[in-house]
Amino acid sequence: STLLSALPAFACGADTDATGVGPQHRGTVHFETRMAQLEAAYRDAAVGRPARRPVVEMTIPSVYDASLAPPGHHVVQLFVQYAPYDVAAEYGHWGDGELRERFAECVYDVIEQHCPGFKASIVGADLLSPLDLERVFGITKGNIQHQSLALHQLLYARPAPNYARHRTPLRNLYLCGAGAHPGGGVQGAPGRNCAAVVLSDVFDLPLTAKAK
């Protein structure tokens, strides 16, 4: 998260209302204009290098809830790819802090291209690397999906074969997180599906009935 002294002003000159807020501030903003940019960022990470031109996703929750920031300020949340947990030695280590700062500058540079003055408006930031996510939240290797969203860990194989129906070998222990079928994100589907299984087991409800 980043605290800014002003809303990002987009170089495209998008319209704003009397408070300076426009539709460009209310959604999720991506700063990629070509598929090649995503491909290049991924290829960097594949060899243990934090992306030189990161893929950046920006949201500004304070335009909806002003209490999140001091008057005249805004909170900007940045979800960034790709930052490999296992960094090649020649590029540093997330534990030393310096790599985290350098990578953050790369992120800011991307936004600055589209929102001139963004870097100058930064008051403070809470930077979380993959290692920080692991240490603070217990997420293995900082993977917010808990495991790969790849063919070998999807559908009946998520999180592993024979465990895709949310039940576990331990009585009354169910899986409902991002590592469960069908995966993470803001959809809430793993929790919804798991709740249906719990209702079926506890109250003997048909799995089709609770969806209505």
Side-chain angles (χ1 to χ4, degrees), residues 67-96:
S67 69
L68 294 175
H73 293 67
H74 282 278
V75 171
V76 166
Q77 294 180 328
L78 303 172
F79 176 70
V80 182
Q81 300 178 90
Y82 291 92
Y85 178 89
D86 297 307
V87 179
E90 60 191 288
Y91 303 118
H93 185 270
W94 293 120
D96 63 17

PDB file of all heavy atoms in Angstrom, residues 67-96:
ATOM      1  N   SER A  67     -12.023   7.737   5.129  1.00  0.00           N
ATOM      2  CA  SER A  67     -11.420   7.521   6.452  1.00  0.00           C
ATOM      3  C   SER A  67     -10.138   6.691   6.381  1.00  0.00           C
ATOM      4  O   SER A  67      -9.419   6.581   7.370  1.00  0.00           O
ATOM      5  CB  SER A  67     -12.429   6.825   7.378  1.00  0.00           C
ATOM      6  OG  SER A  67     -12.668   5.482   6.955  1.00  0.00           O
ATOM      7  N   LEU A  68      -9.849   6.133   5.220  1.00  0.00           N
ATOM      8  CA  LEU A  68      -8.645   5.311   5.079  1.00  0.00           C
ATOM      9  C   LEU A  68      -7.367   6.145   5.032  1.00  0.00           C
ATOM     10  O   LEU A  68      -6.267   5.607   5.196  1.00  0.00           O
ATOM     11  CB  LEU A  68      -8.732   4.465   3.803  1.00  0.00           C
ATOM     12  CG  LEU A  68      -9.828   3.401   3.778  1.00  0.00           C
ATOM     13  CD1 LEU A  68      -9.881   2.735   2.412  1.00  0.00           C
ATOM     14  CD2 LEU A  68      -9.584   2.363   4.863  1.00  0.00           C
ATOM     15  N   ALA A  69      -7.488   7.451   4.787  1.00  0.00           N
ATOM     16  CA  ALA A  69      -6.309   8.305   4.647  1.00  0.00           C
ATOM     17  C   ALA A  69      -6.578   9.659   5.288  1.00  0.00           C
ATOM     18  O   ALA A  69      -7.731  10.071   5.443  1.00  0.00           O
ATOM     19  CB  ALA A  69      -5.966   8.487   3.171  1.00  0.00           C
ATOM     20  N   PRO A  70      -5.515  10.377   5.666  1.00  0.00           N
ATOM     21  CA  PRO A  70      -5.700  11.729   6.213  1.00  0.00           C
ATOM     22  C   PRO A  70      -6.354  12.635   5.172  1.00  0.00           C
ATOM     23  O   PRO A  70      -6.310  12.347   3.965  1.00  0.00           O
ATOM     24  CB  PRO A  70      -4.258  12.178   6.515  1.00  0.00           C
ATOM     25  CG  PRO A  70      -3.465  10.918   6.605  1.00  0.00           C
ATOM     26  CD  PRO A  70      -4.105   9.967   5.648  1.00  0.00           C
ATOM     27  N   PRO A  71      -6.960  13.729   5.595  1.00  0.00           N
ATOM     28  CA  PRO A  71      -7.600  14.653   4.649  1.00  0.00           C
ATOM     29  C   PRO A  71      -6.640  15.082   3.540  1.00  0.00           C
ATOM     30  O   PRO A  71      -5.485  15.418   3.793  1.00  0.00           O
ATOM     31  CB  PRO A  71      -7.987  15.844   5.539  1.00  0.00           C
ATOM     32  CG  PRO A  71      -8.169  15.244   6.899  1.00  0.00           C
ATOM     33  CD  PRO A  71      -7.128  14.164   6.999  1.00  0.00           C
ATOM     34  N   GLY A  72      -7.140  15.046   2.325  1.00  0.00           N
ATOM     35  CA  GLY A  72      -6.322  15.450   1.191  1.00  0.00           C
ATOM     36  C   GLY A  72      -5.363  14.387   0.697  1.00  0.00           C
ATOM     37  O   GLY A  72      -4.633  14.624  -0.270  1.00  0.00           O
ATOM     38  N   HIS A  73      -5.370  13.221   1.313  1.00  0.00           N
ATOM     39  CA  HIS A  73      -4.471  12.132   0.931  1.00  0.00           C
ATOM     40  C   HIS A  73      -5.277  10.937   0.425  1.00  0.00           C
ATOM     41  O   HIS A  73      -6.486  10.859   0.627  1.00  0.00           O
ATOM     42  CB  HIS A  73      -3.595  11.709   2.112  1.00  0.00           C
ATOM     43  CG  HIS A  73      -2.609  12.744   2.533  1.00  0.00           C
ATOM     44  ND1 HIS A  73      -2.990  13.950   3.092  1.00  0.00           N
ATOM     45  CD2 HIS A  73      -1.249  12.761   2.484  1.00  0.00           C
ATOM     46  CE1 HIS A  73      -1.907  14.661   3.370  1.00  0.00           C
ATOM     47  NE2 HIS A  73      -0.846  13.972   3.007  1.00  0.00           N
ATOM     48  N   HIS A  74      -4.564  10.014  -0.194  1.00  0.00           N
ATOM     49  CA  HIS A  74      -5.221   8.817  -0.705  1.00  0.00           C
ATOM     50  C   HIS A  74      -4.333   7.587  -0.525  1.00  0.00           C
ATOM     51  O   HIS A  74      -3.096   7.679  -0.571  1.00  0.00           O
ATOM     52  CB  HIS A  74      -5.578   8.981  -2.191  1.00  0.00           C
ATOM     53  CG  HIS A  74      -6.800   9.803  -2.406  1.00  0.00           C
ATOM     54  ND1 HIS A  74      -8.072   9.289  -2.303  1.00  0.00           N
ATOM     55  CD2 HIS A  74      -6.946  11.122  -2.683  1.00  0.00           C
ATOM     56  CE1 HIS A  74      -8.951  10.245  -2.521  1.00  0.00           C
ATOM     57  NE2 HIS A  74      -8.296  11.372  -2.759  1.00  0.00           N
ATOM     58  N   VAL A  75      -4.997   6.462  -0.321  1.00  0.00           N
ATOM     59  CA  VAL A  75      -4.307   5.173  -0.247  1.00  0.00           C
ATOM     60  C   VAL A  75      -4.399   4.497  -1.605  1.00  0.00           C
ATOM     61  O   VAL A  75      -5.486   4.381  -2.174  1.00  0.00           O
ATOM     62  CB  VAL A  75      -4.935   4.265   0.829  1.00  0.00           C
ATOM     63  CG1 VAL A  75      -4.349   2.852   0.745  1.00  0.00           C
ATOM     64  CG2 VAL A  75      -4.697   4.850   2.210  1.00  0.00           C
ATOM     65  N   VAL A  76      -3.261   4.080  -2.102  1.00  0.00           N
ATOM     66  CA  VAL A  76      -3.207   3.356  -3.374  1.00  0.00           C
ATOM     67  C   VAL A  76      -2.652   1.965  -3.104  1.00  0.00           C
ATOM     68  O   VAL A  76      -1.603   1.815  -2.475  1.00  0.00           O
ATOM     69  CB  VAL A  76      -2.306   4.094  -4.388  1.00  0.00           C
ATOM     70  CG1 VAL A  76      -1.981   3.196  -5.566  1.00  0.00           C
ATOM     71  CG2 VAL A  76      -2.981   5.361  -4.876  1.00  0.00           C
ATOM     72  N   GLN A  77      -3.383   0.960  -3.552  1.00  0.00           N
ATOM     73  CA  GLN A  77      -2.931  -0.424  -3.404  1.00  0.00           C
ATOM     74  C   GLN A  77      -2.402  -0.919  -4.737  1.00  0.00           C
ATOM     75  O   GLN A  77      -3.046  -0.732  -5.776  1.00  0.00           O
ATOM     76  CB  GLN A  77      -4.073  -1.310  -2.913  1.00  0.00           C
ATOM     77  CG  GLN A  77      -4.536  -0.967  -1.514  1.00  0.00           C
ATOM     78  CD  GLN A  77      -5.668  -1.854  -1.030  1.00  0.00           C
ATOM     79  OE1 GLN A  77      -6.493  -2.301  -1.815  1.00  0.00           O
ATOM     80  NE2 GLN A  77      -5.720  -2.103   0.258  1.00  0.00           N
ATOM     81  N   LEU A  78      -1.243  -1.553  -4.692  1.00  0.00           N
ATOM     82  CA  LEU A  78      -0.592  -2.031  -5.908  1.00  0.00           C
ATOM     83  C   LEU A  78      -0.347  -3.529  -5.806  1.00  0.00           C
ATOM     84  O   LEU A  78       0.336  -4.000  -4.901  1.00  0.00           O
ATOM     85  CB  LEU A  78       0.740  -1.301  -6.113  1.00  0.00           C
ATOM     86  CG  LEU A  78       0.654   0.230  -6.185  1.00  0.00           C
ATOM     87  CD1 LEU A  78       2.049   0.837  -6.191  1.00  0.00           C
ATOM     88  CD2 LEU A  78      -0.133   0.671  -7.410  1.00  0.00           C
ATOM     89  N   PHE A  79      -0.938  -4.254  -6.730  1.00  0.00           N
ATOM     90  CA  PHE A  79      -0.688  -5.695  -6.852  1.00  0.00           C
ATOM     91  C   PHE A  79       0.239  -5.864  -8.045  1.00  0.00           C
ATOM     92  O   PHE A  79      -0.071  -5.404  -9.151  1.00  0.00           O
ATOM     93  CB  PHE A  79      -1.997  -6.452  -7.070  1.00  0.00           C
ATOM     94  CG  PHE A  79      -1.812  -7.924  -7.295  1.00  0.00           C
ATOM     95  CD1 PHE A  79      -1.401  -8.750  -6.264  1.00  0.00           C
ATOM     96  CD2 PHE A  79      -2.041  -8.480  -8.546  1.00  0.00           C
ATOM     97  CE1 PHE A  79      -1.223 -10.113  -6.471  1.00  0.00           C
ATOM     98  CE2 PHE A  79      -1.869  -9.837  -8.763  1.00  0.00           C
ATOM     99  CZ  PHE A  79      -1.456 -10.655  -7.721  1.00  0.00           C
ATOM    100  N   VAL A  80       1.375  -6.509  -7.818  1.00  0.00           N
ATOM    101  CA  VAL A  80       2.440  -6.478  -8.815  1.00  0.00           C
ATOM    102  C   VAL A  80       2.909  -7.887  -9.182  1.00  0.00           C
ATOM    103  O   VAL A  80       3.050  -8.754  -8.327  1.00  0.00           O
ATOM    104  CB  VAL A  80       3.643  -5.666  -8.277  1.00  0.00           C
ATOM    105  CG1 VAL A  80       4.746  -5.589  -9.311  1.00  0.00           C
ATOM    106  CG2 VAL A  80       3.195  -4.262  -7.881  1.00  0.00           C
ATOM    107  N   GLN A  81       3.164  -8.070 -10.448  1.00  0.00           N
ATOM    108  CA  GLN A  81       3.783  -9.288 -10.967  1.00  0.00           C
ATOM    109  C   GLN A  81       4.915  -8.884 -11.931  1.00  0.00           C
ATOM    110  O   GLN A  81       4.831  -7.812 -12.531  1.00  0.00           O
ATOM    111  CB  GLN A  81       2.749 -10.118 -11.738  1.00  0.00           C
ATOM    112  CG  GLN A  81       1.549 -10.549 -10.875  1.00  0.00           C
ATOM    113  CD  GLN A  81       0.530 -11.314 -11.684  1.00  0.00           C
ATOM    114  OE1 GLN A  81       0.586 -12.522 -11.785  1.00  0.00           O
ATOM    115  NE2 GLN A  81      -0.412 -10.581 -12.273  1.00  0.00           N
ATOM    116  N   TYR A  82       5.949  -9.616 -12.089  1.00  0.00           N
ATOM    117  CA  TYR A  82       6.212 -10.879 -11.425  1.00  0.00           C
ATOM    118  C   TYR A  82       7.419 -10.707 -10.507  1.00  0.00           C
ATOM    119  O   TYR A  82       8.425 -10.121 -10.913  1.00  0.00           O
ATOM    120  CB  TYR A  82       6.513 -11.965 -12.452  1.00  0.00           C
ATOM    121  CG  TYR A  82       5.297 -12.336 -13.262  1.00  0.00           C
ATOM    122  CD1 TYR A  82       5.026 -11.710 -14.471  1.00  0.00           C
ATOM    123  CD2 TYR A  82       4.416 -13.312 -12.797  1.00  0.00           C
ATOM    124  CE1 TYR A  82       3.903 -12.056 -15.208  1.00  0.00           C
ATOM    125  CE2 TYR A  82       3.302 -13.679 -13.539  1.00  0.00           C
ATOM    126  CZ  TYR A  82       3.049 -13.038 -14.744  1.00  0.00           C
ATOM    127  OH  TYR A  82       1.945 -13.375 -15.468  1.00  0.00           O
ATOM    128  N   ALA A  83       7.282 -11.248  -9.302  1.00  0.00           N
ATOM    129  CA  ALA A  83       8.341 -11.151  -8.312  1.00  0.00           C
ATOM    130  C   ALA A  83       8.601 -12.554  -7.770  1.00  0.00           C
ATOM    131  O   ALA A  83       7.900 -13.015  -6.873  1.00  0.00           O
ATOM    132  CB  ALA A  83       7.935 -10.213  -7.182  1.00  0.00           C
ATOM    133  N   PRO A  84       9.570 -13.261  -8.312  1.00  0.00           N
ATOM    134  CA  PRO A  84       9.801 -14.644  -7.887  1.00  0.00           C
ATOM    135  C   PRO A  84      10.268 -14.726  -6.434  1.00  0.00           C
ATOM    136  O   PRO A  84      11.035 -13.874  -5.976  1.00  0.00           O
ATOM    137  CB  PRO A  84      10.893 -15.122  -8.848  1.00  0.00           C
ATOM    138  CG  PRO A  84      11.624 -13.873  -9.223  1.00  0.00           C
ATOM    139  CD  PRO A  84      10.567 -12.808  -9.293  1.00  0.00           C
ATOM    140  N   TYR A  85       9.788 -15.716  -5.738  1.00  0.00           N
ATOM    141  CA  TYR A  85      10.235 -15.944  -4.354  1.00  0.00           C
ATOM    142  C   TYR A  85      11.713 -16.304  -4.334  1.00  0.00           C
ATOM    143  O   TYR A  85      12.486 -15.778  -3.530  1.00  0.00           O
ATOM    144  CB  TYR A  85       9.404 -17.061  -3.732  1.00  0.00           C
ATOM    145  CG  TYR A  85       9.810 -17.432  -2.320  1.00  0.00           C
ATOM    146  CD1 TYR A  85       9.250 -16.773  -1.234  1.00  0.00           C
ATOM    147  CD2 TYR A  85      10.728 -18.458  -2.083  1.00  0.00           C
ATOM    148  CE1 TYR A  85       9.604 -17.118   0.065  1.00  0.00           C
ATOM    149  CE2 TYR A  85      11.084 -18.801  -0.790  1.00  0.00           C
ATOM    150  CZ  TYR A  85      10.532 -18.125   0.286  1.00  0.00           C
ATOM    151  OH  TYR A  85      10.891 -18.470   1.571  1.00  0.00           O
ATOM    152  N   ASP A  86      12.090 -17.200  -5.226  1.00  0.00           N
ATOM    153  CA  ASP A  86      13.494 -17.634  -5.316  1.00  0.00           C
ATOM    154  C   ASP A  86      14.216 -16.740  -6.322  1.00  0.00           C
ATOM    155  O   ASP A  86      14.081 -16.915  -7.536  1.00  0.00           O
ATOM    156  CB  ASP A  86      13.570 -19.107  -5.740  1.00  0.00           C
ATOM    157  CG  ASP A  86      12.927 -20.030  -4.711  1.00  0.00           C
ATOM    158  OD1 ASP A  86      13.296 -19.934  -3.532  1.00  0.00           O
ATOM    159  OD2 ASP A  86      12.044 -20.823  -5.095  1.00  0.00           O
ATOM    160  N   VAL A  87      14.961 -15.796  -5.812  1.00  0.00           N
ATOM    161  CA  VAL A  87      15.669 -14.831  -6.650  1.00  0.00           C
ATOM    162  C   VAL A  87      17.089 -15.331  -6.902  1.00  0.00           C
ATOM    163  O   VAL A  87      17.772 -15.792  -5.981  1.00  0.00           O
ATOM    164  CB  VAL A  87      15.720 -13.448  -5.973  1.00  0.00           C
ATOM    165  CG1 VAL A  87      16.475 -12.446  -6.836  1.00  0.00           C
ATOM    166  CG2 VAL A  87      14.308 -12.952  -5.684  1.00  0.00           C
ATOM    167  N   ALA A  88      17.524 -15.265  -8.147  1.00  0.00           N
ATOM    168  CA  ALA A  88      18.903 -15.644  -8.477  1.00  0.00           C
ATOM    169  C   ALA A  88      19.874 -14.760  -7.699  1.00  0.00           C
ATOM    170  O   ALA A  88      19.646 -13.556  -7.533  1.00  0.00           O
ATOM    171  CB  ALA A  88      19.137 -15.511  -9.981  1.00  0.00           C
ATOM    172  N   ALA A  89      20.954 -15.360  -7.230  1.00  0.00           N
ATOM    173  CA  ALA A  89      21.902 -14.665  -6.354  1.00  0.00           C
ATOM    174  C   ALA A  89      22.409 -13.362  -6.960  1.00  0.00           C
ATOM    175  O   ALA A  89      22.662 -12.384  -6.244  1.00  0.00           O
ATOM    176  CB  ALA A  89      23.069 -15.591  -6.023  1.00  0.00           C
ATOM    177  N   GLU A  90      22.546 -13.310  -8.246  1.00  0.00           N
ATOM    178  CA  GLU A  90      23.095 -12.108  -8.880  1.00  0.00           C
ATOM    179  C   GLU A  90      22.164 -10.905  -8.778  1.00  0.00           C
ATOM    180  O   GLU A  90      22.586  -9.755  -8.983  1.00  0.00           O
ATOM    181  CB  GLU A  90      23.394 -12.388 -10.348  1.00  0.00           C
ATOM    182  CG  GLU A  90      22.170 -12.804 -11.162  1.00  0.00           C
ATOM    183  CD  GLU A  90      22.544 -13.330 -12.532  1.00  0.00           C
ATOM    184  OE1 GLU A  90      22.946 -12.527 -13.383  1.00  0.00           O
ATOM    185  OE2 GLU A  90      22.414 -14.570 -12.726  1.00  0.00           O
ATOM    186  N   TYR A  91      20.897 -11.138  -8.435  1.00  0.00           N
ATOM    187  CA  TYR A  91      19.942 -10.035  -8.331  1.00  0.00           C
ATOM    188  C   TYR A  91      19.627  -9.656  -6.894  1.00  0.00           C
ATOM    189  O   TYR A  91      18.876  -8.709  -6.661  1.00  0.00           O
ATOM    190  CB  TYR A  91      18.651 -10.395  -9.060  1.00  0.00           C
ATOM    191  CG  TYR A  91      18.871 -10.750 -10.506  1.00  0.00           C
ATOM    192  CD1 TYR A  91      18.554 -12.015 -10.990  1.00  0.00           C
ATOM    193  CD2 TYR A  91      19.438  -9.833 -11.388  1.00  0.00           C
ATOM    194  CE1 TYR A  91      18.778 -12.350 -12.322  1.00  0.00           C
ATOM    195  CE2 TYR A  91      19.667 -10.155 -12.711  1.00  0.00           C
ATOM    196  CZ  TYR A  91      19.340 -11.414 -13.174  1.00  0.00           C
ATOM    197  OH  TYR A  91      19.583 -11.749 -14.495  1.00  0.00           O
ATOM    198  N   GLY A  92      20.194 -10.372  -5.929  1.00  0.00           N
ATOM    199  CA  GLY A  92      19.978 -10.047  -4.528  1.00  0.00           C
ATOM    200  C   GLY A  92      19.072 -11.035  -3.828  1.00  0.00           C
ATOM    201  O   GLY A  92      18.871 -12.163  -4.283  1.00  0.00           O
ATOM    202  N   HIS A  93      18.502 -10.601  -2.703  1.00  0.00           N
ATOM    203  CA  HIS A  93      17.641 -11.472  -1.889  1.00  0.00           C
ATOM    204  C   HIS A  93      16.591 -10.604  -1.207  1.00  0.00           C
ATOM    205  O   HIS A  93      16.893  -9.496  -0.745  1.00  0.00           O
ATOM    206  CB  HIS A  93      18.475 -12.225  -0.848  1.00  0.00           C
ATOM    207  CG  HIS A  93      17.687 -13.216  -0.054  1.00  0.00           C
ATOM    208  ND1 HIS A  93      17.050 -12.889   1.118  1.00  0.00           N
ATOM    209  CD2 HIS A  93      17.419 -14.525  -0.278  1.00  0.00           C
ATOM    210  CE1 HIS A  93      16.420 -13.955   1.586  1.00  0.00           C
ATOM    211  NE2 HIS A  93      16.626 -14.956   0.761  1.00  0.00           N
ATOM    212  N   TRP A  94      15.362 -11.097  -1.148  1.00  0.00           N
ATOM    213  CA  TRP A  94      14.287 -10.318  -0.537  1.00  0.00           C
ATOM    214  C   TRP A  94      14.570  -9.994   0.918  1.00  0.00           C
ATOM    215  O   TRP A  94      14.063  -9.009   1.455  1.00  0.00           O
ATOM    216  CB  TRP A  94      12.966 -11.063  -0.648  1.00  0.00           C
ATOM    217  CG  TRP A  94      12.440 -11.209  -2.036  1.00  0.00           C
ATOM    218  CD1 TRP A  94      12.184 -12.373  -2.700  1.00  0.00           C
ATOM    219  CD2 TRP A  94      12.085 -10.158  -2.954  1.00  0.00           C
ATOM    220  NE1 TRP A  94      11.700 -12.131  -3.964  1.00  0.00           N
ATOM    221  CE2 TRP A  94      11.633 -10.765  -4.147  1.00  0.00           C
ATOM    222  CE3 TRP A  94      12.115  -8.767  -2.887  1.00  0.00           C
ATOM    223  CZ2 TRP A  94      11.205 -10.031  -5.246  1.00  0.00           C
ATOM    224  CZ3 TRP A  94      11.689  -8.027  -3.985  1.00  0.00           C
ATOM    225  CH2 TRP A  94      11.243  -8.656  -5.144  1.00  0.00           C
ATOM    226  N   GLY A  95      15.377 -10.789   1.570  1.00  0.00           N
ATOM    227  CA  GLY A  95      15.648 -10.567   2.985  1.00  0.00           C
ATOM    228  C   GLY A  95      16.505  -9.356   3.288  1.00  0.00           C
ATOM    229  O   GLY A  95      16.530  -8.885   4.426  1.00  0.00           O
ATOM    230  N   ASP A  96      17.209  -8.821   2.292  1.00  0.00           N
ATOM    231  CA  ASP A  96      18.113  -7.703   2.586  1.00  0.00           C
ATOM    232  C   ASP A  96      17.445  -6.334   2.482  1.00  0.00           C
ATOM    233  O   ASP A  96      18.049  -5.316   2.831  1.00  0.00           O
ATOM    234  CB  ASP A  96      19.347  -7.750   1.671  1.00  0.00           C
ATOM    235  CG  ASP A  96      19.006  -7.597   0.184  1.00  0.00           C
ATOM    236  OD1 ASP A  96      17.887  -7.138  -0.133  1.00  0.00           O
ATOM    237  OD2 ASP A  96      19.853  -7.931  -0.656  1.00  0.00           O
TER     238      ASP A  96
END
